Amino acid sequence: MTDAQSFYGRWARVYDWVASAPGVAAWRDRTADSLALAPGDTVVEMGCGTGANVPALRERVGPAGRVVGIDLTRAMLDRASSRPARTGESVHYVQADAARPPVRQCDAVLATFVAGIFEDPAAAVDAWCDSVAPGGRVALLNFQRSPGALAAPLNLVFEGFVRLSAPGTRLSTQSHASAFERRVRAARERLTERTVDRRYETFAGGYLGLLSGTVS
Ligand SMILES: C[S@@+](CC[C@H](N)C(=O)[O-])C[C@H]1O[C@@H](n2cnc3c(N)ncnc32)[C@H](O)[C@@H]1O
């Protein structure tokens, strides 16, 4: 069992509460919009957790489409499956490693608050881009430190988010948050190399960065 699996196995209920907090749905809507989904599409979420993105995705692909949520942690998937708004005939949850997703030729991939968990984020992004048919979009949503005026105190809050979203990140000579940011940067760089027609936007006062692009 990985560090992340044992952490999320224990904290699935609390995580679900945080992931569904007021205001978070708007971030999830913006992420879903960045995928330019159409009715009938198949969209795959890597590290879907408790399925908090699923309502926004399901709405966009419609009854003829499919939403596939992949996660390593059974307790997170069980939680997702227990929420009526996150289930349905068009929704499928799969327990698997998102670094080696069992998916080919889907229309879009998203990974929210996940890229900082992987030991080799660039390889994970490669696998995600390989899962998408040409012309499909891939989106990464992540926390980041903000350069804004209130940054000093709020960056401590950022450290807390990092610990919740990437519990396995190792402390070395760098801080926990720096190691996390290095991984997110590596994921974004690889997505930049692999895609065209990219969009980058920030929200939540600069504490969230959303990068999306089209696989050519
Ligand atoms: C911070 S949560 C994000 C959940 C969801 N994407 C969201 O936006 O709320 C990270 C999720 O990644 C999952 N995870 C960690 N490593 C994974 C891996 N190698 N493959 C699939 N899922 C993984 C964890 O089980 C957890 O559910």
Side-chain angles (χ1 to χ4, degrees):
M1 184 179 282
T2 66
D3 285 348
Q5 247 179 324
S6 88
F7 176 87
Y8 286 110
R10 271 180 285 125
W11 292 100
R13 183 186 292 260
V14 174
Y15 182 83
D16 191 32
W17 179 78
V18 174
S20 316
V24 178
W27 308 343
R28 299 188 183 284
D29 274 333
R30 288 176 72 163
T31 305
D33 284 343
S34 77
L35 295 170
L37 293 167
D41 278 354
T42 294
V43 56
V44 178
E45 180 173 2
M46 304 296 178
C48 64
T50 58
N53 287 310
V54 168
L57 300 173
R58 201 174 61 171
E59 185 185 314
R60 283 159 180 80
V61 302
R66 274 196 309 170
V67 179
V68 180
I70 294 179
D71 203 285
L72 208 50
T73 310
R74 186 76 258 162
M76 297 293 265
L77 294 175
D78 286 347
R79 193 101 198 133
S81 304
S82 73
R83 305 278 297 254
R86 301 175 187 178
T87 56
E89 279 185 18
S90 59
V91 182
H92 308 271
Y93 291 110
V94 179
Q95 186 176 19
D97 184 355
R100 288 182 291 279
V103 178
R104 284 289 164 271
Q105 299 284 305
C106 68
D107 297 296
V109 160
L110 76 160
T112 62
F113 313 120
V114 166
I117 292 174
F118 291 93
E119 289 288 336
D120 187 347
V125 170
D126 271 336
W128 302 345
C129 291
D130 292 343
S131 305
V132 176
R137 286 184 72 78
V138 178
L140 305 177
L141 176 70
N142 290 100
F143 287 115
Q144 58 198 15
R145 268 185 266 231
S146 169
L150 293 174
L154 289 178
N155 282 335
L156 290 174
V157 177
F158 169 78
E159 287 267 354
F161 277 126
V162 168
R163 283 173 195 277
L164 188 59
S165 65
T169 307
R170 302 279 181 219
L171 273 170
S172 58
T173 50
Q174 298 169 301
S175 80
H176 198 92
S178 298
F180 169 86
E181 284 180 316
R182 191 168 33 78
R183 291 181 183 188
V184 170
R185 197 162 46 246
R188 287 176 176 169
E189 283 170 4
R190 185 52 57 89
L191 187 62
T192 299
E193 288 163 14
R194 293 287 311 261
T195 57
V196 296
D197 189 20
R198 281 177 300 280
R199 275 170 43 196
Y200 177 68
E201 50 186 311
T202 62
F203 36 101
Y207 279 90
L208 282 175
L210 171 62
L211 178 66
S212 60
T214 301
V215 174
S216 52

